[in-house]
Amino acid sequence: MFDNLLNFISRNQETVATIFERYRSLDRPFLLKSELWDEFLTFCRETALTELTASVLGEALAKSQEAVIDEERLCLAIRPKVARWHYLRYTFANKEVAEIGVADFLAFKEKIALGAPPGPVLEFDLQPFERDFPKMTQVRSIGHGVEFLNRAFSNRLSRNLAGGDELIFSFLRVHGYGNQPFMINDRIRNIRELHAALADGMEYVHKRSPESQWQDMAPHLEALGFAPGWGRTGKQIGKSFSRLADLLEAPDHETLMRFITLVPMIFNIAIISPHGYFGQENVLGLPDTGGQIVYILDQVRALEREMQARIYHHGLDIRPQILIVTRLIPEAGGTPCNIPKEKVEGTDNVHIVRIPFRRRDGSILPQWISRFQVWPYLERFAAEAKDEVVKMLGRRPDLVIGNYSDGNLVSYIMAKSLGVTQCTIAHALEKTKYLYSALYWKQMEEQYHFSCQFTADMIAMNAADFIIASTYQEIAGSADVVGQYESYSSFTMPELQRVIQGINAFDPKFNIVSPGADENIYFPYRDHDRRFSGLINEIEALLFGGPHPQGRGVLADREKPLIFSMARLDHIKNLTGLVEWYGRDSRLRELANLVIVGGSIDPEQSGDEEERAQILLMHELFARYGLDIQVRWLGLRLDKRVSGELYRVIADHQGVFVQPALFEAFGLTVIEAMAAGLPTFATRYGGPLEIIEDGISGFHIDPNHGEIASTLLAEFFRDCVNDPGYWRRISEGGLTRVQAQYTWRLYAKRLLSLTCIYGFWKFATNLERQETNRYLEMLYHLQYRRLAEEMEGSNLYP
């Protein structure tokens, strides 16, 4: 494409010059994708040159993510394909065009942002350290890193069978728990003896009943050199022996994956989530406290069940442990966040462990602070948390999982210190939420401290052994939208750091593992025997009752179906945007009522500036459009059982769920609503684009075009009137989609299998990337720590 573009420009200099001059005449140094395209379309209409839209120039402008312009030059960042970038520079004086490198493009952005040529700055570039590490090349492979690694490395094993045999033998010898070895004991001393013992073992097990227990066969199998871990029954043991025999004979990637996931490796997990109010009750809806808490609590229940099942089938009698490590908040405000240790309900051995944030002098910070302010406390938090985790487990964990930017940095510090496998989960990356958050970081620093956050993101994500993303969109976006992780591939923070290559979306550490909804809470409205019937009257009163002390609006017409949305009340979640769409659309207001659950109705009850602004805006919208008889706004934090039944009551009334966020990394409420059977309309920016099959299991909406979204909603309700079966078809489509793709059982199986496989390759290869990690250590010590210390030393800091 790029060579063709250069040729087109050289042949059509005057036309191209006119278009680029038009961009310059806007007198704006930065133009975004939509602005570039809209201005180009206007030019084509005014000049009757509509054929240009189908030209290579039109294609390039359609794929341009941004333009940077001054009096002398115009530079375009063109993304012709997912995670592939080119940079073009046009000089107005001589009408010359040339391709430039990413460093030159970023330097030009800095010059415009600073108003002067940039001085020397730290350039962060991982490419020299990663040249020899295998990377994927196909867009369709993004997010399937473990499959790629298995293919790449098992091919090496198959080319060197002797070396591969020795590697697998060495790997089997390292496993055990306490003084108990697993898989093989010291009677097997080399690969030749393993082959012989395996042949004898397979013959012996084949003669026994499939239901024979390990303890009955142990004397014979242990004499051959085998130890517990192969399985509980003869059938399971024989299956494990057979898979190892297949692997030793022909180590292809599928055989390798099947066997490695059978090896008992994971008994203890530490899950890190420092910010917000982490608790099981009275916390949801508080600042920085939402879907991530629900995600982790559902995650640990599923992981414990899967770990217990695996350990049982291994034939072992070990009680797995999971620790959720979060922050202790002495001034907990009616939440349990001041309790040092708390058992997770519905589990056998999962606990929340709370560690305080400490100031430099060792004193405990008593109050909640925003997720944007936590950075100076994390290193001390990580050290104290590491000691507490080892003390409680009696050993180091087998896996450390970080959550969000702060938890991922703590997991990096802990995993590095303990020498264990590290997994990171972003949930949401702030960089994509705030326009030009990197470029104008200085202007945002006092409130958001992006200098620390974006540096921490690059360290933790590049150091992780593997990364979990909920959707493909999260990693690499779509043909038109840049993915969250991809946005870290190159960017600049003027006078701080210029990132030439930060995160590579083609890195095989990325894996898509989608969460689900708690199936005991979020199940179909038509499953009447399972429903929480005792809550239905309470919910009906919440929806249709009179004035509520924590709400605004009373629904005058109870017969209309309900449009429902529930989220934190912040700018990104865009609940006020949904209310404005509804208020403006008279047709939609005739067809349906609107119910909003989020935030508080009293700005004085909120300690978050952004939430207070949204509360005031919500009240203003009610007044502007006269919504008090058509919109019910409840400023409540709902118990999970209540929220689950609320979805179903909305479904009883033939309603819909709308998730109007400007961006949503995944969208747990989307999954919850679909699992309840509610037809769901959700943002096309982020995870919901992948979760929902448009027109089949729900609908995509563009939150930037509210009038189109409200029209789509109105048309849906009109279609339901004209076709009584339409609502149910979309409802069933959503249920089918969730049950096939988004369950916690599938999630837990996938995550534990990934841990086993990455653990094997970390043992077997240079998966630790020693050179890269040394580079990241320098960034941590010379850049991140300095920034965090400056934060703590500022007068504005708690």
Side-chain angles (χ1 to χ4, degrees):
M1 170 187 171
F2 212 80
D3 289 339
N4 292 336
L5 174 62
L6 296 179
N7 290 333
F8 180 92
I9 293 174
S10 67
R11 295 195 310 269
N12 299 271
Q13 279 194 348
E14 293 307 317
T15 300
V16 172
T18 304
I19 295 169
F20 288 171
E21 284 286 355
R22 189 180 183 112
Y23 288 144
R24 183 167 63 164
S25 69
L26 297 174
D27 198 27
R28 291 163 56 194
F30 301 105
L31 294 176
L32 297 174
K33 177 185 178 69
S34 59
E35 296 167 326
L36 285 167
W37 184 246
D38 289 346
E39 192 64 29
F40 176 64
L41 290 180
T42 301
F43 168 82
C44 292
R45 285 195 300 269
E46 291 177 353
T47 58
L49 294 174
T50 54
E51 69 275 6
L52 282 178
T53 59
S55 69
V56 67
L57 176 64
E59 182 183 357
L61 292 175
K63 296 293 184 179
S64 293
Q65 295 297 317
E66 63 175 326
V68 186
I69 310 167
D70 67 4
E71 282 300 311
E72 299 176 356
R73 287 163 292 183
L74 176 149
C75 288
L76 290 173
I78 304 172
R79 182 177 177 262
K81 295 180 180 179
V82 167
R84 303 293 191 193
W85 293 82
H86 292 280
Y87 302 93
L88 177 147
R89 181 179 63 212
Y90 178 82
T91 305
F92 288 105
N94 54 22
K95 302 177 182 178
E96 288 184 353
V97 64
E99 185 170 10
I100 59 174
V102 61
D104 291 334
F105 177 78
L106 296 177
F108 185 50
K109 286 183 75 172
E110 293 165 17
K111 174 180 177 292
I112 303 301
L114 295 170
V121 67
L122 170 68
E123 284 197 348
F124 180 85
D125 187 1
L126 283 175
Q127 188 171 9
F129 303 97
E130 301 274 308
R131 281 197 190 103
D132 297 329
F133 196 84
K135 294 288 195 302
M136 299 175 291
T137 58
Q138 300 296 317
V139 168
R140 59 186 172 83
S141 297
I142 291 175
H144 302 283
V146 75
E147 290 85 356
F148 171 81
L149 274 185
N150 280 341
R151 289 193 301 271
F153 287 135
S154 60
N155 285 340
R156 295 184 187 180
L157 296 184
S158 63
R159 289 196 299 268
N160 185 358
L161 285 175
D165 283 0
E166 293 290 349
L167 181 61
I168 293 165
F169 169 69
S170 299
F171 182 69
L172 292 177
R173 294 187 64 180
V174 302
H175 297 291
Y177 199 89
N179 296 321
Q180 172 63 62
F182 295 154
M183 310 306 282
I184 59 177
N185 60 37
D186 57 10
R187 290 176 181 269
I188 298 177
R189 294 162 296 183
N190 53 52
I191 189 63
R192 180 181 56 79
E193 292 180 356
L194 176 60
H195 276 282
L198 190 60
D200 292 342
M202 291 174 69
E203 182 179 355
Y204 172 76
V205 171
H206 182 69
K207 294 176 181 178
R208 301 296 298 260
S209 164
E211 303 307 317
S212 298
Q213 300 291 297
W214 165 267
Q215 59 265 32
D216 299 328
M217 296 182 284
H220 186 90
L221 293 176
E222 288 177 354
L224 290 175
F226 295 109
W230 295 94
R232 184 167 294 273
T233 66
K235 181 179 179 181
Q236 293 165 343
I237 296 166
K239 182 179 181 181
S240 299
F241 282 168
S242 177
R243 287 186 176 177
L244 177 58
D246 291 342
L247 181 60
L248 293 174
E249 182 176 358
D252 65 275
H253 67 278
E254 291 181 353
T255 306
L256 177 71
M257 190 167 184
R258 283 196 298 269
F259 177 73
I260 295 300
T261 54
L262 286 174
V263 177
M265 297 168 58
I266 309 158
F267 307 97
N268 303 289
I269 298 175
I271 295 176
I272 317 298
S273 182
H275 79 255
Y277 291 85
F278 199 109
Q280 300 179 79
E281 56 186 20
N282 301 328
V283 298
L284 292 182
L286 290 174
D288 293 343
T289 308
Q292 179 180 324
I293 309 300
V294 177
Y295 178 109
I296 293 173
L297 290 173
D298 287 346
Q299 174 198 47
V300 295
R301 294 184 181 101
L303 285 174
E304 184 186 53
R305 288 193 295 269
E306 181 63 18
M307 290 166 72
Q308 289 171 336
R310 290 189 179 209
I311 290 169
Y312 178 82
H313 290 305
H314 289 317
L316 305 174
D317 296 313
I318 296 170
R319 191 181 183 205
Q321 299 182 79
I322 302 175
L323 300 179
I324 302 170
V325 183
T326 188
R327 183 194 163 198
L328 180 80
I329 306 175
E331 297 176 1
T335 76
C337 297
N338 57 353
I339 301 172
K341 182 180 177 181
E342 180 185 358
K343 187 173 182 291
V344 173
E345 296 175 5
T347 70
D348 293 325
N349 202 17
V350 180
H351 293 86
I352 301 170
V353 180
R354 298 186 176 94
I355 308 293
F357 283 169
R358 295 187 185 275
R359 301 186 181 95
R360 285 180 178 176
D361 62 4
S363 62
I364 291 174
L365 188 70
Q367 76 274 22
W368 169 87
I369 57 172
S370 159
R371 68 188 186 275
F372 299 115
Q373 295 179 294
V374 301
W375 305 105
Y377 303 106
L378 295 183
E379 185 171 299
R380 289 183 287 275
F381 176 88
E384 192 170 341
K386 180 198 73 171
D387 293 341
E388 186 65 21
V389 166
V390 172
K391 176 183 174 183
M392 291 186 65
L393 295 179
R395 56 188 286 132
R396 66 181 187 176
D398 303 303
L399 173 67
V400 176
I401 302 175
N403 293 273
Y404 192 73
S405 298
D406 46 24
N408 287 332
L409 186 75
V410 173
S411 73
Y412 159 73
I413 297 169
M414 287 182 62
K416 180 174 173 293
S417 175
L418 294 170
V420 299
T421 301
Q422 175 197 353
C423 166
T424 75
I425 305 175
H427 294 286
L429 292 166
E430 302 290 347
K431 186 171 175 294
T432 54
K433 290 184 180 181
Y434 298 86
L435 187 61
Y436 296 125
S437 55
L439 189 64
Y440 290 114
W441 68 275
K442 278 190 174 182
Q443 290 87 328
M444 304 182 188
E445 187 71 355
E446 184 175 317
Q447 181 175 0
Y448 296 115
H449 303 288
F450 287 144
S451 63
C452 282
Q453 182 158 8
F454 297 169
T455 305
D457 284 335
M458 288 193 296
I459 293 168
M461 292 187 292
N462 279 296
D465 294 298
F466 64 102
I467 297 174
I468 293 300
S470 297
T471 63
Y472 177 96
Q473 311 292 325
E474 190 178 339
I475 306 169
S478 64
D480 299 318
V481 179
V482 178
Q484 285 192 76
Y485 283 101
E486 186 190 353
S487 75
Y488 281 77
S489 61
S490 60
F491 62 96
T492 183
M493 304 180 78
E495 298 185 310
L496 179 68
Q497 55 202 15
R498 182 184 299 153
V499 178
I500 307 302
Q501 180 173 300
I503 301 298
N504 188 339
F506 290 95
D507 196 304
K509 69 175 58 183
F510 284 106
N511 292 274
I512 299 168
V513 186
S514 301
D518 185 342
E519 60 188 23
N520 295 313
I521 300 292
Y522 305 102
F523 52 83
Y525 72 97
R526 49 179 164 70
D527 289 0
H528 298 288
D529 292 341
R530 299 175 62 194
R531 290 187 60 169
F532 309 144
S533 55
L535 297 174
I536 292 177
N537 289 338
E538 173 189 340
I539 291 169
E540 291 276 349
L542 277 177
L543 294 173
F544 301 110
H548 193 284
Q550 294 173 275
R552 178 170 179 176
V554 175
L555 303 181
D557 185 349
R558 291 188 50 163
E559 300 306 312
K560 290 181 182 179
L562 299 174
I563 302 167
F564 173 50
S565 191
M566 179 167 59
R568 294 192 313 275
L569 195 56
D570 62 27
H571 171 69
I572 294 297
K573 294 299 184 182
N574 199 34
L575 291 181
T576 52
L578 172 59
V579 172
E580 184 158 19
W581 306 346
Y582 179 84
R584 288 178 173 176
D585 194 322
S586 58
R587 183 185 177 204
L588 182 58
R589 292 173 65 172
E590 289 175 7
L591 291 167
N593 291 320
L594 175 61
V595 174
I596 297 290
V597 175
S600 167
I601 65 166
D602 183 359
E604 298 304 317
Q605 296 298 313
S606 174
D608 183 86
E609 290 183 23
E610 188 172 316
E611 183 181 53
R612 282 198 295 269
Q614 290 291 301
I615 292 170
L616 293 172
L617 175 57
M618 188 75 84
H619 284 296
E620 194 273 322
L621 291 170
F622 266 72
R624 186 195 311 172
Y625 295 108
L627 299 177
D628 282 290
I629 62 170
Q630 290 181 297
V631 179
R632 179 83 154 174
W633 170 28
L634 298 169
L636 301 172
R637 297 194 295 272
L638 300 179
D639 174 80
K640 279 182 66 174
R641 285 168 57 87
V642 174
S643 66
E645 194 59 38
L646 177 57
Y647 286 120
R648 289 185 285 273
V649 170
I650 300 287
D652 291 338
H653 290 270
Q654 298 285 284
V656 301
F657 181 77
V658 179
Q659 205 272 30
L662 301 177
F663 180 85
E664 183 61 59
F666 179 62
L668 274 177
T669 54
V670 172
I671 296 294
E672 292 168 359
M674 292 169 69
L678 266 182
T680 298
F681 296 71
T683 180
R684 66 185 301 271
Y685 296 112
L689 182 66
E690 193 167 323
I691 296 170
I692 292 173
E693 302 161 293
D694 191 41
I696 300 172
S697 57
F699 302 91
H700 300 147
I701 57 175
D702 187 337
N704 299 308
H705 296 282
E707 69 285 354
I708 298 176
S710 65
T711 298
L712 182 64
L713 279 161
E715 289 174 350
F716 173 82
F717 285 116
R718 183 62 67 194
D719 289 342
C720 290
V721 172
N722 296 332
D723 178 359
Y726 185 57
W727 185 94
R728 185 177 180 84
R729 287 199 298 276
I730 300 299
S731 170
E732 291 297 323
L735 286 167
T736 300
R737 177 70 171 167
V738 167
Q739 290 162 5
Q741 298 287 336
Y742 300 100
T743 71
W744 282 112
R745 182 181 61 83
L746 294 172
Y747 175 100
K749 287 180 176 293
R750 174 81 168 156
L751 178 54
L752 293 180
S753 295
L754 287 172
T755 305
C756 292
I757 296 163
Y758 278 94
F760 171 73
W761 289 122
K762 188 172 182 176
F763 173 87
T765 69
N766 184 31
L767 201 57
E768 293 189 55
R769 306 181 181 183
Q770 294 176 1
E771 300 85 355
T772 297
N773 282 331
R774 287 296 185 190
Y775 190 59
L776 297 174
E777 285 176 23
M778 291 179 63
L779 187 67
Y780 177 82
H781 287 286
L782 300 180
Q783 186 79 310
Y784 171 79
R785 293 187 78 197
R786 174 182 64 81
L787 294 167
E789 288 169 3
E790 288 175 358
M791 274 184 68
E792 191 171 16
S794 72
N795 294 329
L796 298 172
Y797 216 67

